[in-house]
Amino acid sequence: GLIKSLNTAKPRIIGISNTFSQGYLETLKIAKISKQICNSSLIICGGEHIGNLGPIPLIECEYLDIIVKSEGEVPVRELLEYSYSKKALYEINSIIFKKKLLSTELIPEPLIISELPIQLTDNGYKIKDVYLENPNKPETIDLNDFPFLKYDLYQDYLSYPPYIEESRGCAW
């Protein structure tokens, strides 16, 4: 299961897809479990529904680090580059992230700084964190530019079909 896989792999990045609203709370639970087991892993989440909620998932789940707002192929590749220190986080378009992930206080334009997120505490409301949003830069993504899936990377792929989500956008 999930816990055994995380304990074994200790991934640098954990990506969670949330394509249906009904799975939102389960997605947050998966993020919590993942961060508790792999505290230094970067937890990213995207999908048709969660990507349109702005910083709300980051507010409701302290274990999430980054939300991908739109098509994920390019931002996820760039987040992998970021994890290897080959790209700055603020250079990655179509993401919302916690300011504390930046290693410097220099915030280049045109990042959108949001200090609106608040959380109820025993003493009332307070700002929990500052969130930065890179502008959505609509890119025309031609799926023919991406390589075909390498099924041989899946152990015993000939004996069972691996689960692969092949839809784009909301399936409803």
Side-chain angles (χ1 to χ4, degrees), residues 82-100:
Y82 161 74
S83 76
Y84 286 98
S85 302
K86 294 183 179 182
K87 191 167 198 87
L89 194 58
Y90 59 79
E91 296 176 310
I92 303 170
N93 286 316
S94 300
I95 63 170
I96 302 171
F97 60 96
K98 297 175 181 175
K99 181 181 175 186
K100 65 184 178 184

Side-chain angles (χ1 to χ4, degrees), residues 119-126:
Q119 185 176 42
L120 185 61
T121 64
D122 293 338
N123 300 328
Y125 289 96
K126 71 170 189 172

Side-chain angles (χ1 to χ4, degrees), residues 33-48:
I33 292 166
S34 299
K35 190 61 112 172
Q36 287 174 335
I37 294 170
C38 302
N39 189 38
S40 62
S41 295
L42 190 65
I43 310 291
I44 64 172
C45 191
E48 181 65 26

Side-chain angles (χ1 to χ4, degrees), residues 154-163:
Y154 290 91
Q155 183 180 7
D156 299 325
Y157 75 98
L158 292 175
S159 63
Y160 72 93
Y163 173 77

Side-chain angles (χ1 to χ4, degrees), residues 105-144:
E105 291 301 313
L106 299 175
I107 303 172
E109 295 295 330
L111 291 180
I112 300 165
I113 301 173
S114 173
E115 294 189 73
L116 297 176
I118 53 177
Q119 185 176 42
L120 185 61
T121 64
D122 293 338
N123 300 328
Y125 289 96
K126 71 170 189 172
I127 294 173
K128 184 173 182 188
D129 207 342
V130 176
Y131 304 91
L132 301 177
E133 181 173 351
N134 286 3
N136 232 356
K137 199 174 195 183
E139 296 182 39
T140 303
I141 297 175
D142 184 354
L143 293 179
N144 292 320

